[in-house]
Amino acid sequence: MGFLLTPSKQVHALNPSSGFKQPPFDGSLTVPQIYDWHYHHNPQHPVFVYPNLGGGTSEIPFAELVPAAHRAGRYVVESMGLPMESQSFPLAAIIAHADTITYFTVILGMLRVAVPVFPINPYLPEPAFLHLISTNRPQHIFISDDATLTNLVQKALREMENKDPTYKPKYLNFLHSMIYL
């Protein structure tokens, strides 16, 4: 099967003096493995560039992002109370108010350790959230430390318990400091 879309224009590695190396795009690497590949071959290449308070920009290169994703993945598995060596993990949902970099890093970490991740928009109305939880039945729900989301999750789980007393997911704190970026 070919690409569903035409490959994007090459913008990196156009200048050989940049030192940027392209990973193989032959399907031999998963998305998390591509990030690990970049960690080894392009450690100082920026993944995120954002404005800083001084009026300039700050960067997060692969050398910082990839270890942070590994830490996030380990935190998630340990929070779930499961050994890292598990052959499979249950579905884990995330409903959190978090910045893009943190959210992305946590999802990348979860993918890296093979935890199936189900990101849920924290701005969904309560019935939509309840529908998603009842339909997908995640065993772990990571929530940000904010009263509104905590109350939403607790209310939804009480309603779920009334419908199905056997469904008892564990909800855990989505700590922004878990990745130490």
Side-chain angles (χ1 to χ4, degrees):
M1 181 172 109
F3 284 104
L4 296 177
L5 300 173
T6 58
S8 61
K9 289 184 178 181
Q10 182 178 355
V11 294
H12 298 285
L14 290 178
N15 180 355
S17 66
S18 72
F20 182 85
K21 296 176 185 70
Q22 285 192 314
F25 289 115
D26 58 3
S28 62
L29 299 175
T30 64
V31 171
Q33 289 171 331
I34 290 172
Y35 281 88
D36 289 350
W37 189 96
H38 280 298
Y39 173 80
H40 293 289
H41 296 91
N42 299 306
Q44 295 311 313
H45 189 77
V47 181
F48 292 105
V49 179
Y50 56 93
N52 62 31
L53 296 176
T57 59
S58 296
E59 298 179 346
I60 298 176
F62 286 104
E64 292 177 29
L65 176 76
V66 171
H70 286 226
R71 286 190 298 272
R74 182 173 301 282
Y75 171 85
V76 165
V77 171
E78 289 173 355
S79 296
M80 293 167 73
L82 301 169
M84 287 294 295
E85 302 77 32
S86 294
Q87 294 300 309
S88 66
F89 294 103
L91 179 64
I94 298 176
I95 181 166
H97 291 120
D99 63 273
T100 301
I101 295 170
T102 301
Y103 209 84
F104 176 85
T105 304
V106 171
I107 290 175
L108 180 61
M110 292 173 81
L111 293 174
R112 181 67 179 84
V113 296
V115 171
V117 60
F118 179 39
I120 300 174
N121 183 337
Y123 300 106
L124 286 176
E126 188 178 312
F129 175 75
L130 182 59
H131 171 75
L132 289 173
I133 294 297
S134 64
T135 302
N136 295 285
R137 301 174 64 87
Q139 293 304 301
H140 297 85
I141 303 171
F142 287 87
I143 59 174
S144 56
D145 190 22
D146 95 38
T148 304
L149 288 181
T150 301
N151 291 337
L152 173 69
V153 170
Q154 288 174 341
K155 184 175 181 185
L157 293 180
R158 279 193 302 274
E159 286 186 40
M160 284 290 299
E161 192 173 327
N162 291 338
K163 293 178 183 177
D164 181 0
T166 64
Y167 179 62
K168 297 194 184 295
K170 181 178 177 185
Y171 59 95
L172 306 155
N173 193 2
F174 180 93
L175 293 174
H176 296 155
S177 61
M178 76 170 86
I179 58 172
Y180 309 111
L181 268 180

